[in-house]
Amino acid sequence: MLFACMRAELMKLKRSFIWSVFLILPVISTIMGCFNYIQNTDIVGISWYSLWTQTTLFYSNFFYAPLIAVYCAYLWRLENFNRNRNALLAAPVPIPCLYLAQFLAISCVTLLTQLWVGVLFLICGLITGLQGFPPLDTIIWLLRGCVGGLAIAALQLFFSSFIRSFALPIAMALLGSVAGLLFSSAGFGLFFPYSLMLLGMNSNKEEDVLAGSFLPFFLSCGIFLLIFLWCGIRYLKKTDVKAY
């Protein structure tokens, strides 16, 4: 039943505008980072690692969390029209299945986003004349960023489940990204969900900031993920369909 619900959620996204956002925003952030790299090669050096520091500078700090917020807000925006929320909550399907199906659908799109960013990073490297292929570290950082992004996805899905505005959760994600940068810079990134993606992506760093801290990172991601999923499921269980 869970995967049947997940397929239904993916069908909602199939012909939606989010794919335009999915394609365009990472391109913009990558072009900005690539241009910054080209302008500062005498400072940052010429290497895949140096290119990584510049391309992740904008994407991780300002684009990734709002992108996830757009995905989550869109799914709930569909439920907020024509009393679709009534039909959703009254369906003969357990609330946890409905909510987890939404989360899994968002997780799939989040993973695709990271893969797209990886492709753009490779293209930029080849265009700027870098030899060979990106180091394995960058692939690991992309996957870790996806894990950190899941905690953000769970939080943004929870926000979108009770905030009926489409734009407000996205604005909150942007503010969360800025706050996440501050927490990460202060050394408290593991205690703030929006910082986890920055740490996982090794944003704007050549040396791995999580060296020796893999377990605390994944533990923090897991704890935040479970908390926000529990909050979202509990909220929907307590929601009266007559209120919508």
Side-chain angles (χ1 to χ4, degrees), residues 55-133:
T55 55
T56 59
L57 175 64
F58 298 101
Y59 172 70
S60 298
N61 293 333
F62 305 108
F63 286 83
Y64 192 14
L67 261 176
I68 295 176
V70 169
Y71 304 153
C72 296
Y74 178 79
L75 273 184
W76 274 106
R77 183 176 176 81
L78 295 177
E79 307 302 345
N80 289 330
F81 283 110
N82 299 321
R83 297 184 177 273
N84 288 338
R85 185 184 288 245
N86 277 355
L88 177 71
L89 298 179
V93 179
I95 292 296
C97 280
L98 292 172
Y99 195 81
L100 291 176
Q102 288 184 327
F103 174 74
L104 289 176
I106 297 300
S107 299
C108 290
V109 182
T110 300
L111 178 59
L112 288 176
T113 303
Q114 288 292 86
L115 293 176
W116 175 228
V117 168
V119 170
L120 292 174
F121 173 64
L122 173 61
I123 293 173
C124 282
L126 296 178
I127 290 175
T128 54
L130 295 178
Q131 300 298 315
F133 292 94

Side-chain angles (χ1 to χ4, degrees), residues 3 12 16-17 29 35 38 46-47 72 99 112 129 132 146-147 153 158 186 212 218 220 230 238:
F3 290 103
K12 296 178 185 177
S16 70
F17 77 92
S29 65
F35 180 78
I38 293 173
I46 301 176
S47 70
C72 296
Y99 195 81
L112 288 176
C146 189
V147 175
F158 173 52
F218 287 109
S220 181
W230 179 83
K238 299 295 182 180

Side-chain angles (χ1 to χ4, degrees), residues 27-66:
V27 170
I28 294 174
S29 65
T30 303
I31 290 176
M32 292 170 62
C34 186
F35 180 78
N36 204 41
Y37 166 76
I38 293 173
Q39 295 297 312
N40 295 282
T41 51
D42 55 333
I43 299 175
V44 300
I46 301 176
S47 70
W48 285 103
Y49 286 108
S50 298
L51 179 62
W52 177 266
T53 64
Q54 301 308 302
T55 55
T56 59
L57 175 64
F58 298 101
Y59 172 70
S60 298
N61 293 333
F62 305 108
F63 286 83
Y64 192 14

